[in-house]
Amino acid sequence: MRTLLLSIACFLSVNVLAKNAFEVNDLRTDYRENPVGIDTRIPRLSWEMASNERGEIQTAYQIKAAYTEAALKSEKNLLWNTGKVLSDQSNQIDFPDKNLQSRQRVYWQVKVWDQKKKASPWSKTAFFETGFLNTSDWKASWIEPDLKENIQESNPCPLLRKTCKLKGKVSQARIYVSAHGLYQMSINGKKVSEDLFTPGWTNYNKRIQYQAYDVTSSLHAGVNAIGLMLGDGWFRGNLKWDMERNHFGEKLAAIFQLEVTYEDGTKETFVSDNTWKASTGSGLKSDIYNGEVCDARLDKKGWDAPEYDDSQWNGVTVKDFDKQVLVASESVPVRVVRVIKPINKFRTPKGELVFDMGQNMVGWIHFRLQGQAGSSIKLNFAEVLDKDGNFYMENLRSAKAEDIYYFKGEGIESYEPHFTFHGFRYVRVENYQGDIALEDLTGKVICSDMTETGKFSCSDSLINKLQENIQWGLRGNFLDIPTDCPQRDERLGWTGDAQVFAPTACFNVDAAAFFSKWMKDLAADQRADGNVPHVVPAVKTGYGSAGWSDVAVVIPWVVYQVYGDRRILENQYESMKAWVEYIRKNAGNSYLYQSGKHYGDWLAFATTRSDYPGATTDKDLIATAYYAYSTSLLSKTAAVLGKTEDASAYSQLFEKIKTAFQKEYMTPNGRLSSNTQTAYVLALAFGLIPEDMKLLSSERLANDVKQFKHITTGFLGTPLICDVLTEYGHTDLAYMLLFRKDYPSWLYPVTRGATTIWERWDGIKPDGSFQDVGMNSFNHYAYGAIGNWLYGKVAGIQREGEIPGYKSIVIAPHPTSKFTFANAEYYSVYGKIFSGWENGKDGFRLHVLIPANTTAKIILPVSQVETVLEGGKSLAKVKDIQILGDKEGQVMLQVGSGEYYFSMPEVLVNY
Ligand code: BGC
């Protein structure tokens, strides 16, 4: 079966295009398809040139844009017509400054010319629509419900309602809406969208996102009702391990604006104001950490329908809150992205009824059950069972993770919470008096709904499980911001974790808009002196840890590299520079960053055995290494942006830091003062070792790995160790680390049944007991950063040097004798890249797909070019392939777009 599978990948086309197709697809504005409510004045347009031809390059493009579809078609009154532009750019083309107004929809189409100067047909029509470009567009007022509340605890979820009488048929309607807290909105009793956790998480004192919805089809002539339900969320719910409430304010509030255009062309606006009504309903408590309590008997049936009688409801108070903090959402919304069913139910040794979802997931349980009025069901959520098989919640610390529902007793009742989420595989059910079948429960998995862009698989099922766990770790922790974990009383935007995982994240999902939004959150929380918080949004944790705060520089650079996104560099430049300048001030003329509080190589291998050292890397060494790294990235950024003075100043600064690093932390023989894997990995990866000592240094790293026979790195060393080993010719050791099954290793948790990545190498110890209950998450993505190496080195999909956006691709697979095949695909901004290899007695086969408008270097793991065939022909006879040469056991080729099937003799490797 395996052989069959692999032959399919190696011989069947992975291109989904029809034969001879030549078209322009996937039109996007700022990474989104037809976005409504953007507030950039210069949006960026991108498309994919799709073609089956080999060596296809876009030689020219034409964009036309208009205010109406009719104008676009007729090409009369075009807003913008580029004419034929000789350019291969197909990604992030600035829409010119056309003085766009608020609420402006712009339709656009593109066509391209190929290398034979043949034109494609016009693309399908795409559009974007602006939201509010000026604060004065907000006619609505912030309103707070007039409800008696005890702000020390979670209060019933406020309901806000208002009817709007529409005087005729609607031709167009938009809602612009936001809240202090979280909101869910309905019109005439129906949800307006599937978006969850709106308006998202930002530092609400500085930035609050609003959402824009096209609600044309939800409204009718006559009376319509608007309903908003609010929840505490991050705004005033518990946050941080000290369970502190009211971080951003004590009262919930909303702002709402409905703009209607009637068929006769007249317009009308309905806004939140002092005529709105407020009450509460069945939602008694909602808290992200603790869960929700719902008493269905208190349901205000039809509360969001037009005919509902709200005469007994309370009023609202208009508040003069700042509207300048309102910004359009620029990331993708959180949604239900998967639905799963429990695979089992059982009684634990303690006698508890537990359902097993088969997967450590993030979201909640939706149930359909029947109960007598006033009877209840209580659900608790846990990631693991203890070694006796009992339900184990202690690692959630003070997070209660508990949903309680009181039945109203009217037949089958269907319920799911609104403003909480849990990280769990197991669900404990208490208090329920009936039988529950597996199909009565559904697990709803929630995540920022980013397009999935990557797949990796190979012939080893444990490695495939590791890859799945990496993706589940991502799915569980990218919830409007990248969080560290989804289950305990934390779930914060830890910067170090996100920084090390970003390259892996970007293989698996399109994270560009997500990170762009979060980087703005970061800049908003950066201190005037440039210091960067450990968590973003900053909720009273520290500032300035090396490897954590460096996220300010690293993530913009990663996003630029992966997506060719210059805008993020422009937007973040001041923030990036401020962080480096902050360190520069602290380091002074020593060029060593030796002050401040640092997490160091967090959770590195530790041991209590006296004959067997752990691996503690000097925090000062790490801090200076990261100072150098951020400085070098800043210098490159300045060069990209044409800031030549800064580019050279920071490159000189880098050299000074490098010299200082060597003087302070390196002996004349190239030994680092911390003789640890992480120290060598960082120094080599960040270019801090003198040229003539690199080999020696990499040998020291290799020897350390050989001596321990396992990884000793923590959060900062782990993401880079296999890459550095591969780069210096120790792919065998990188694979040894990958295949190891004992603690500490990536596969140890997999062999213990993990379905996500653990926070610690030994969250469950070999004897079955748990690690320190104070910090033991089973869904932390940081160690999943090995994913970057699986795509980049095992399957071999990489970018060439620092050419951004996969415009120049490198395909360089690294076979191992332990796999018969490995495949990866990555959907880049130019289209799909595929690299799949198969190795065995029948030879080594490599199947490659390179998207149109890109080129690739293919590095084959064989030494003689004569032994290589493509499509059954010797390379010399294939006109689309240029042979660049063969050296050091490798053949290097240059190709253009298209699909290629290489075959050559078996690659013999003894690892
Ligand atoms: C978080 C980590 C974070 C670390 C830094 C932990 O509590 O869960 O992921 O990076 O603290 O100290």
Side-chain angles (χ1 to χ4, degrees):
M1 185 61 193
R2 247 182 211 170
T3 337
L4 187 68
L5 268 182
L6 78 102
S7 344
I8 288 171
C10 268
F11 296 109
L12 285 190
S13 171
V14 288
N15 199 341
V16 290
L17 284 179
K19 206 162 176 267
N20 302 327
F22 171 35
E23 52 197 36
V24 188
N25 290 330
D26 208 22
L27 272 62
R28 306 220 160 212
T29 306
D30 288 331
Y31 298 104
R32 289 188 291 168
E33 206 185 320
N34 300 335
V36 172
I38 61 173
D39 65 1
T40 29
R41 286 169 193 271
I42 314 271
R44 293 159 297 167
L45 310 183
S46 307
W47 58 84
E48 184 191 324
M49 174 191 191
S51 158
N52 275 329
E53 291 284 310
R54 281 192 174 176
E56 197 53 274
I57 285 289
Q58 173 188 300
T59 52
Y61 69 79
Q62 181 176 2
I63 303 171
K64 58 177 181 176
Y67 287 140
T68 62
E69 281 187 278
L72 193 68
K73 285 254 145 58
S74 67
E75 300 193 358
K76 281 185 198 131
N77 290 326
L78 287 179
L79 172 65
W80 186 36
N81 185 354
T82 61
K84 183 172 173 182
V85 180
L86 298 183
S87 164
D88 64 352
Q89 194 181 348
S90 57
N91 188 28
Q92 309 195 29
I93 293 180
D94 283 355
F95 197 84
D97 190 354
K98 291 279 178 188
N99 193 20
L100 289 179
Q101 302 300 304
S102 298
R103 316 162 177 85
Q104 184 63 65
R105 183 172 284 208
V106 174
Y107 295 90
W108 62 284
Q109 275 178 298
V110 63
K111 76 183 200 186
V112 302
W113 281 262
D114 68 5
Q115 51 173 355
K116 292 181 207 127
K117 313 279 180 312
K118 196 177 110 201
S120 73
W122 281 106
S123 68
K124 285 192 187 131
T125 303
F127 66 82
F128 63 84
E129 186 179 304
T130 55
F132 291 164
L133 300 179
N134 312 296
T135 307
S136 58
D137 291 319
W138 282 102
K139 305 293 175 225
S141 305
W142 280 101
I143 52 170
E144 274 181 5
D146 291 340
L147 298 169
K148 258 217 188 91
E149 296 181 323
N150 172 1
I151 58 145
Q152 300 313 326
E153 56 186 51
S154 184
N155 293 281
C157 294
L159 305 176
L160 291 168
R161 113 175 212 109
K162 171 76 189 168
T163 53
C164 318
K165 192 161 178 199
L166 305 190
K167 58 182 192 215
K169 277 201 167 170
V170 175
S171 78
Q172 178 176 303
R174 300 284 182 273
I175 283 176
Y176 307 90
V177 55
S178 190
H180 284 173
L182 301 173
Y183 74 84
Q184 284 194 359
M185 177 172 57
S186 47
I187 296 182
N188 300 329
K190 284 209 185 91
K191 266 203 269 171
V192 166
S193 93
E194 297 301 317
D195 298 356
L196 299 165
F197 292 89
T198 45
W201 191 8
T202 50
N203 180 334
Y204 302 112
N205 299 321
K206 297 173 179 163
R207 285 159 48 77
I208 305 182
Q209 303 178 106
Y210 68 86
Q211 284 72 42
Y213 294 107
D214 179 347
V215 292
T216 313
S217 59
S218 311
L219 298 166
H220 50 73
V223 181
N224 293 266
I226 311 294
L228 282 173
M229 177 173 15
L230 304 182
D232 293 353
W234 301 285
F235 188 85
R236 72 167 185 184
N238 287 300
L239 264 190
K240 254 176 86 226
W241 43 87
D242 45 17
M243 282 293 199
E244 213 178 282
R245 296 183 53 77
N246 307 319
H247 269 260
F248 297 98
E250 294 176 349
K251 296 281 269 175
L252 301 181
I255 186 163
F256 169 94
Q257 188 156 322
L258 164 64
E259 301 191 354
V260 176
T261 307
Y262 294 106
E263 280 189 346
D264 65 4
T266 56
K267 293 179 191 251
E268 200 171 2
T269 301
F270 302 87
V271 295
S272 47
D273 59 16
N274 61 6
T275 63
W276 282 51
K277 292 295 192 79
S279 186
T280 57
S282 56
L284 295 185
K285 282 181 198 299
S286 84
D287 186 79
I288 287 179
Y289 295 162
N290 289 336
E292 290 200 359
V293 180
C294 171
D295 187 340
R297 293 167 300 175
L298 301 177
D299 215 6
K300 297 228 158 70
K301 203 165 176 225
W303 70 275
D304 49 0
E307 60 280 2
Y308 182 82
D309 174 11
D310 60 18
S311 55
Q312 300 305 309
W313 282 36
N314 297 359
V316 299
T317 303
V318 165
K319 288 284 174 176
D320 192 18
F321 298 133
D322 188 5
K323 292 182 207 160
Q324 277 184 7
V325 296
L326 288 162
V327 294
S329 286
E330 70 171 291
S331 181
V332 291
V334 176
R335 296 215 169 114
V336 171
V337 295
R338 293 252 192 310
V339 166
I340 59 177
K341 285 284 182 190
I343 55 166
N344 192 15
K345 70 170 174 177
F346 55 91
R347 292 265 167 200
T348 64
K350 279 190 187 157
E352 302 156 308
L353 175 62
V354 171
F355 286 77
D356 177 3
M357 302 307 292
Q359 172 64 48
N360 194 8
M361 56 165 277
V362 175
W364 53 73
I365 290 293
H366 171 268
F367 64 73
R368 293 184 80 248
L369 290 168
Q370 208 165 346
Q372 277 175 9
S375 70
S376 69
I377 180 169
K378 180 167 103 170
L379 306 180
N380 286 98
F381 300 87
E383 294 183 290
V384 287
L385 303 176
D386 69 14
K387 68 175 176 187
D388 302 320
N390 286 313
F391 195 73
Y392 179 80
M393 284 184 78
E394 276 77 345
N395 68 321
L396 272 55
R397 304 193 302 220
S398 58
K400 268 208 226 153
E402 182 168 286
D403 291 339
I404 301 176
Y405 180 84
Y406 295 91
F407 289 87
K408 60 180 151 200
E410 294 170 8
I412 290 188
E413 295 173 41
S414 168
Y415 175 74
E416 64 186 330
H418 304 85
F419 302 119
T420 189
F421 61 89
H422 311 292
F424 64 103
R425 170 172 172 168
Y426 299 98
V427 189
R428 182 176 64 198
V429 179
E430 288 178 328
N431 301 347
Y432 187 65
Q433 266 139 29
D435 237 10
I436 304 177
L438 296 185
E439 50 277 15
D440 295 334
L441 307 189
T442 304
K444 299 239 177 130
V445 179
I446 59 160
C447 181
S448 278
D449 194 9
M450 298 165 288
T451 308
E452 295 186 0
T453 50
K455 284 187 191 150
F456 173 88
S457 62
C458 64
S459 55
D460 183 324
S461 57
L462 290 181
I463 303 295
N464 290 342
K465 188 68 192 162
L466 172 67
Q467 161 69 7
E468 265 180 41
N469 293 358
I470 293 169
Q471 291 182 322
W472 274 102
L474 192 165
R475 210 167 280 137
N477 281 299
F478 275 49
L479 204 144
D480 207 46
I481 62 156
T483 60
D484 59 332
C485 59
Q487 74 297 77
R488 67 184 181 215
D489 51 1
E490 192 152 0
R491 317 185 198 187
L492 304 176
W494 278 100
T495 47
D497 311 37
Q499 180 265 114
V500 298
F501 188 66
T504 301
C506 292
F507 262 124
N508 287 294
V509 294
D510 176 355
F514 177 89
F515 280 137
S516 300
K517 175 256 174 193
W518 191 55
M519 282 297 106
K520 287 187 185 159
D521 296 339
L522 178 142
D525 277 336
Q526 196 166 5
R527 282 193 182 142
D529 64 1
N531 205 350
V532 174
H534 297 164
V535 302
V536 173
V539 280
K540 293 190 199 153
T541 51
Y543 273 71
S545 171
W548 270 249
S549 302
D550 293 281
V551 72
V553 178
V554 176
I555 286 194
W557 183 253
V558 169
V559 171
Y560 167 68
Q561 284 289 298
V562 176
Y563 305 99
D565 187 329
R566 220 181 112 100
R567 181 76 60 88
I568 194 170
L569 298 183
E570 286 163 5
N571 287 344
Q572 297 300 129
Y573 190 72
E574 287 313 313
S575 153
M576 298 165 83
K577 186 168 165 175
W579 166 242
V580 170
E581 285 299 327
Y582 170 82
I583 317 177
R584 197 222 289 254
K585 238 170 272 142
N586 278 277
N589 289 338
S590 74
Y591 301 102
L592 299 169
Y593 186 16
Q594 290 178 320
S595 53
K597 186 176 166 289
H598 304 284
Y599 293 114
D601 192 26
W602 189 246
L603 296 182
F605 173 70
T607 171
T608 46
R609 267 176 59 184
S610 49
D611 60 336
Y612 187 48
T616 307
T617 308
D618 180 4
K619 289 183 181 176
D620 285 348
L621 179 153
I622 293 176
T624 298
Y626 260 97
Y627 175 26
Y629 182 47
S630 280
T631 304
S632 71
L633 296 186
L634 181 62
S635 160
K636 289 174 190 176
T637 302
V640 171
L641 298 179
K643 298 174 189 289
T644 41
E645 268 176 37
D646 275 10
S648 99
Y650 288 113
S651 122
Q652 285 165 27
L653 176 60
F654 170 76
E655 291 304 325
K656 289 192 175 130
I657 304 168
K658 179 174 167 179
T659 309
F661 178 91
Q662 291 168 2
K663 261 206 204 140
E664 185 78 5
Y665 300 115
M666 201 181 84
T667 68
N669 290 331
R671 179 187 292 270
L672 293 179
S673 58
S674 288
N675 202 27
T676 61
Q677 293 172 11
T678 290
Y680 289 106
V681 163
L682 296 185
L684 284 162
F686 297 167
L688 299 176
I689 305 285
E691 210 45 52
D692 57 347
M693 275 191 193
K694 281 186 176 167
L695 266 186
L696 201 67
S697 201
S698 64
E699 285 311 311
R700 288 187 193 281
L701 168 65
N703 286 337
D704 194 87
V705 172
K706 282 184 206 154
Q707 188 196 334
F708 275 99
K709 298 192 181 57
H710 64 71
I711 202 164
T712 65
T713 49
F715 274 31
L716 298 182
T718 304
L720 300 169
I721 188 165
C722 285
D723 275 301
V724 172
L725 285 170
T726 304
E727 192 181 330
Y728 287 94
H730 297 292
T731 304
D732 55 336
L733 293 177
Y735 272 121
M736 184 270 277
L737 294 179
L738 179 72
F739 291 133
R740 185 184 156 93
K741 294 194 191 68
D742 294 333
Y743 159 79
S745 68
W746 285 284
L747 290 187
Y748 169 70
V750 175
T751 62
R752 303 291 310 208
T755 58
T756 36
I757 301 293
W758 295 353
E759 177 174 28
R760 293 173 174 268
W761 292 121
D762 58 347
I764 298 174
K765 294 190 204 166
D767 68 4
S769 63
F770 289 120
Q771 252 287 1
D772 178 8
V773 70
M775 219 185 64
N776 197 19
S777 146
F778 293 96
N779 199 355
H780 241 69
Y781 54 62
Y783 286 150
I786 183 67
N788 189 47
W789 187 77
L790 297 178
Y791 282 95
K793 298 295 183 332
V794 176
I797 298 179
Q798 296 165 41
R799 295 179 303 277
E800 183 177 1
E802 284 172 354
I803 302 171
Y806 289 88
K807 181 82 173 140
S808 291
I809 298 161
V810 173
I811 299 290
H814 288 76
T816 159
S817 60
K818 305 253 180 4
F819 294 166
T820 54
F821 75 91
N823 298 323
E825 72 178 54
Y826 169 64
Y827 214 98
S828 73
V829 291
Y830 294 96
K832 183 158 145 185
I833 305 170
F834 179 85
S835 171
W837 58 260
E838 179 193 329
N839 197 22
K841 289 206 177 50
D842 296 341
F844 181 82
R845 293 197 179 88
L846 177 68
H847 177 185
V848 173
L849 175 67
I850 303 298
N853 206 20
T854 68
T855 57
K857 288 207 164 56
I858 299 190
I859 301 174
L860 300 171
V862 288
S863 49
Q864 286 162 324
V865 77
E866 302 76 39
T867 61
V868 182
L869 304 178
E870 194 281 319
K873 289 191 210 149
S874 73
L875 288 186
K877 291 201 182 124
V878 186
K879 65 172 181 10
D880 314 299
I881 298 176
Q882 193 193 339
I883 301 167
L884 298 178
D886 45 6
K887 65 166 197 247
E888 291 165 19
Q890 294 179 330
V891 166
M892 205 195 280
L893 313 172
Q894 177 76 42
V895 301
S897 70
E899 223 168 341
Y900 299 86
Y901 301 85
F902 297 99
S903 53
M904 61 215 84
E906 179 180 9
V907 177
L908 295 169
V909 275
N910 59 0
Y911 48 83

